[in-house]
Amino acid sequence: MPELPEVEVVRRGLARWVAGREIAEVEVLHPRAVRRHLPGAREFEARLSGRVISSAERRGKYLWLPVGDDSSMIAHLGMSGQLLVVPPSAPPERHLRVRLSFADGGPDLRFVDQRTFGHLMLADLVRLPPARTVPEPIWHIAPDPLEELFDDRLFARRLRAKRTEIKRALLDQSLISGVGNIYADEALWRAKLHGTREADSLTGSKTAELLAAVRDVMNEALDQGGTSFDSLYVNVNGESGYFDRSLAVYGRKDLPCSRCGTAVTREPFMNRSSYSCPRCQPRPRVRRPAGRL
DNA sequence: CCTACCACCTGTAAGC
DNA sequence: TGCTTACAGGTGGTAG
């Protein structure tokens, strides 16, 4: 579901509404929500109670709330997860999985997740060079393109070393984080690249153009409060963003490309879809078989 | 080592 | 109306 812009919208809400508050009580209502927290649900509840949330952090699609010492609560929204700030008196949501109440008696923080692909867990922070502290379970996630320390040249080098298609590479969270199916398609359209183009066939300048397109589309989406097609993708107050109105190709099968008017096509991709303009983003010639010089 | 693919879930919409 | 199928914003584990 939510990609970097939607997750960042949630992070901002958490920074505003829960940072600085002391957790009173934690209730895990569905075991799958904390399945990656190996010590178990009861330990998760006990260890968070009484802790003070100091801030709200994000890398790519991962969020975390540092709580005292060197640990933090990690949250990943998966395909349908929501973190909502609601009054304690509000009736339980249909897919409420975890509820955190606060010592100040103010609004709860609730983790609601229809498909249960999302999860929460507690983990220790590790210091990674150069100068970024992230929770240990997500050390393998690459910096995201809106982070200060994202290394454009390193990204270009690693991207062009890959023996795979460009869209697969964009979705590889250990290469560049935060990009999902929507923004991959939108960035490829902006850069006039077909997703099946081999990553190692891109020139340095085309790589830079693609990275700029990723940043542009994400920043524009952020300005609109993110993308939501339905009530599944919302900020902490349950409100949807408006970027779906600005999408050029994603979800626009048979509608005209806003650049050339050609009908957008949809192709199956990994049990999902890829959308592109057949004229602006011509499918590359089939590549020579690998190996053999 | 690297890349490709599927399982993990619930809900909605479309097709018959 | 009801049944079946396709599809939905992600990713960890594992087969090759």
Side-chain angles (χ1 to χ4, degrees), chain A residues 189 192 248-249 255-265 276-282:
Chain A
W189 177 82
K192 300 182 182 171
V249 284
L255 294 172
C257 164
S258 55
R259 209 161 35 205
C260 76
T262 306
V264 168
T265 56
S276 62
C277 168
R279 182 153 164 208
C280 297
Q281 303 165 267

Side-chain angles (χ1 to χ4, degrees), chain A residues 14-23 51-56 66 102 104:
Chain A
L14 295 172
R16 174 163 177 192
W17 298 107
V18 308
R21 300 174 67 201
E22 180 187 333
I23 299 166
R51 298 297 192 88
V52 174
I53 294 170
S54 54
S55 63
F102 291 85
D104 57 19

Side-chain angles (χ1 to χ4, degrees), chain A residues 47-70:
Chain A
R47 229 170 96 198
L48 267 181
S49 303
R51 298 297 192 88
V52 174
I53 294 170
S54 54
S55 63
E57 312 289 329
R58 182 189 57 74
R59 164 167 278 185
K61 304 171 196 172
Y62 278 90
L63 291 163
W64 67 93
L65 302 173
V67 285
D69 57 37
D70 274 337

